[in-house]
Amino acid sequence: MGSGFSRICREIFEYDTPHIVHIKSLKIGVACRIIQLLIFAYIIGYVIVYKKGYQNHDIPAGTITTKIKGTAYTNITTASGVPLYRRLWDVSDYVIPPEEHDSVFVMTNMLISPHQKQGKCPEDPTMPGVICKHDKDCPPGEAVYTGNGVRTGQCVQYNTTLKTCEIHAWCPIENDDDRPMKQPVIDEARYFTLLIKSTVRFDKFNLRRRNLVENSSVDYLKNCTYNASHPLYKFCPIFRIGDMLEVAEPRVGWSDIATKGGILGVVIDWQCNLDYTLDSCLPAYKFRRLDDPYATLARGYNFRYADYYFVNGTMFRQQTKAYGIRFEIQITGDGGKFDLYYLILNIASGIALLAVSTVICDIAVLYLHSKREYYYNKKYKQVDVVKTGYEDFDSSSNSNHQRPLETNSTVYNRGVLNN
């Protein structure tokens, strides 16, 4: 019982110490140095130089404001001959709502339903479950959830050949067949301009920057338009809508997005190396369509809004189904500045990573080499303390490998192997 407990204790309370073995092998030595060289190149070339591991980094945060400019005149009549779209359009008409957080919507196409008032009228036959033959087909008080109103209980004539359920609704209901044309109503919107004003800050470095070129004049801002290939105008914060679609990735066709609507992402990217002058800390602009232009169902972007008014005490409204381009603006980037702490930290991490070369070479020698058993026996030794006061450094060795036990001493064995 006692000997068993003693064995368990010896298994638990054992101590491992490094055992250095020099292996004089050209292949393994070259492999080890190559691995160390690769690790060294990774630390210096990638971490320190390419990723600027000698810098402290900060992500910019900031604010965005927008302003649209442009006017257009349209002379278009509806399919029924009403000159509903014969009018002038300015910013107050096509920017809806007037102000949003980090985004702006420009209406380029619309379907207007004028002079609606609350009353009774036949439901649109394209809505599910509204085509009828008798009044019993239209349960009163039941809403047409995907339609325009609530059933009255009457089945009425929609046209000369078709009957639909009568509904309480804003009448006359919206009629998609009365669209003015298949092209965008405000086709001139491609020439409208969008001004984006952005202020970013790098809190770690107590630094603020604007996307307006600091040394530019008032005339520059009045006359410039963004041009990615121009050395000066590529920093201009005024963008022509059509130009943004041209340089977007992938390229966006004007007719498609202006007719059906869509969402365009605008990225203001700040990549600033603050070890140089602040004049080099300037933004780059990227554009990308965010919605799916190839969707077969519910493609595009649209919403409805209404303007209300009273005539002789009766409330009327004009409902507009608005199609257009929604610009989603985002700030990204990185700011870096030299910091001795991060340089030392990355160098120390690289030095520690050099130990990986030893691990890889050990695996190759102990498990893959043709003399792996020989190397294994030389690398790993067991030292047992015996009652005679001696330590046996190798149970397979003769008495010449024994020495007297020294109290509080460190066991250290250094061997050289020739291959």
Side-chain angles (χ1 to χ4, degrees):
M1 180 70 178
S3 61
F5 177 75
S6 177
R7 252 191 332 267
I8 293 175
C9 288
R10 292 183 65 184
E11 290 293 332
I12 294 175
F13 302 105
E14 61 181 17
Y15 165 67
D16 295 328
T17 187
H19 180 192
I20 299 176
V21 179
H22 285 282
I23 302 176
K24 292 189 174 182
S25 170
L26 180 62
K27 292 181 181 178
I28 296 180
V30 170
C32 182
R33 295 296 178 258
I34 290 176
I35 294 172
Q36 290 175 341
L37 183 61
L38 291 175
I39 294 174
F40 185 78
Y42 167 77
I43 296 301
I44 300 299
Y46 180 77
V47 176
I48 303 296
V49 178
Y50 181 73
K51 298 297 289 184
K52 296 181 175 63
Y54 56 88
Q55 291 183 331
N56 186 8
H57 293 268
D58 193 16
I59 298 175
T63 59
I64 296 170
T65 58
T66 60
K67 183 183 291 186
I68 299 285
K69 284 189 177 182
T71 58
Y73 180 80
T74 57
N75 186 12
I76 303 170
T77 58
T78 64
S80 57
V82 179
L84 192 59
Y85 303 91
R86 185 181 298 168
R87 52 168 295 180
L88 179 74
W89 303 87
D90 64 12
V91 177
S92 300
D93 298 315
Y94 58 74
V95 177
I96 309 161
E99 187 65 34
E100 291 187 83
H101 177 67
D102 295 348
S103 63
V104 62
F105 173 80
V106 178
M107 182 173 64
T108 55
N109 198 16
M110 75 289 297
L111 173 63
I112 299 176
S113 302
H115 310 307
Q116 289 183 323
K117 68 176 182 177
Q118 294 190 19
K120 299 178 181 180
C121 49
E123 178 59 288
D124 185 347
T126 62
M127 300 297 142
V130 299
I131 297 177
C132 60
K133 292 184 178 179
H134 309 285
D135 291 346
K136 64 180 181 180
D137 298 329
C138 306
E142 185 178 281
V144 183
Y145 292 108
T146 58
N148 299 284
V150 178
R151 292 177 175 90
T152 64
Q154 301 294 316
C155 181
V156 297
Q157 204 75 34
Y158 179 80
N159 55 32
T160 56
T161 60
L162 192 64
K163 284 187 174 183
T164 61
C165 293
E166 186 183 58
I167 55 172
H168 290 288
W170 286 92
C171 300
I173 61 174
E174 182 181 273
N175 182 9
D176 280 351
D177 295 333
D178 204 28
R179 293 177 183 273
M181 58 194 307
K182 298 300 181 181
Q183 295 179 350
V185 172
I186 312 179
D187 192 54
E188 295 294 309
R190 71 177 74 192
Y191 304 112
F192 295 169
T193 58
L194 167 63
L195 167 64
I196 301 177
K197 293 189 292 183
S198 173
T199 301
V200 298
R201 64 184 185 275
F202 296 94
D203 292 331
K204 286 185 180 180
F205 313 121
N206 193 27
L207 175 67
R208 289 177 180 269
R209 295 291 291 169
R210 300 176 69 198
N211 68 326
L212 303 177
V213 180
E214 298 296 339
N215 57 0
S216 61
S217 63
V218 177
D219 291 336
Y220 168 82
L221 195 60
K222 286 183 177 180
N223 300 310
C224 77
T225 303
Y226 174 80
N227 186 339
S229 59
H230 194 280
L232 186 58
Y233 289 164
K234 66 180 180 180
F235 301 117
C236 179
I238 300 175
F239 306 87
R240 188 176 287 112
I241 292 179
D243 293 343
M244 285 191 284
L245 301 180
E246 289 285 339
V247 299
E249 298 179 0
R251 184 178 177 276
V252 180
W254 165 254
S255 180
D256 176 67
I257 195 171
T259 303
K260 285 291 187 179
I263 303 174
L264 189 73
V266 181
V267 177
I268 308 175
D269 187 41
W270 294 84
Q271 297 295 334
C272 296
N273 188 344
L274 302 178
D275 293 330
Y276 299 103
T277 62
L278 292 181
D279 292 338
S280 63
C281 183
L282 296 170
Y285 299 95
K286 303 175 184 177
F287 310 92
R288 179 176 294 274
R289 185 167 183 177
L290 302 181
D291 64 311
D292 185 3
Y294 307 107
T296 56
L297 296 174
R299 181 165 61 91
Y301 177 76
N302 67 79
F303 59 89
R304 293 174 175 84
Y305 70 95
D307 298 311
Y308 297 87
Y309 56 96
F310 287 86
V311 176
N312 297 327
T314 302
M315 182 171 64
F316 288 82
R317 78 174 188 184
Q318 177 171 289
Q319 178 183 271
T320 303
K321 185 177 182 180
Y323 301 82
I325 306 171
R326 182 179 182 86
F327 297 93
E328 295 283 352
I329 308 168
Q330 179 184 7
I331 295 174
T332 63
D334 176 78
K337 193 173 186 179
F338 177 79
D339 192 316
L340 183 61
Y341 169 79
Y342 286 94
L343 176 60
I344 295 175
L345 180 64
N346 283 301
I347 291 176
S349 300
I351 293 173
L353 194 61
L354 289 174
V356 173
S357 62
T358 302
V359 174
I360 295 174
C361 289
D362 278 350
I363 293 174
V365 167
L366 300 176
Y367 300 101
L368 303 177
H369 200 277
S370 59
K371 297 181 180 180
R372 54 184 175 273
E373 293 183 1
Y374 174 73
Y375 290 133
Y376 189 91
N377 291 332
K378 292 298 182 180
K379 180 174 177 61
Y380 294 101
K381 294 180 180 293
Q382 291 188 0
V383 179
D384 296 326
V385 178
V386 296
K387 292 181 179 180
T388 59
Y390 288 88
E391 292 183 349
D392 184 5
F393 277 71
D394 189 345
S395 58
S396 64
S397 304
N398 54 31
S399 59
N400 293 330
H401 290 87
Q402 296 180 344
R403 73 172 182 178
L405 175 64
E406 296 179 4
T407 307
N408 297 327
S409 64
T410 301
V411 177
Y412 185 83
N413 191 2
R414 185 181 184 94
V416 178
L417 300 182
N418 290 296
N419 184 24

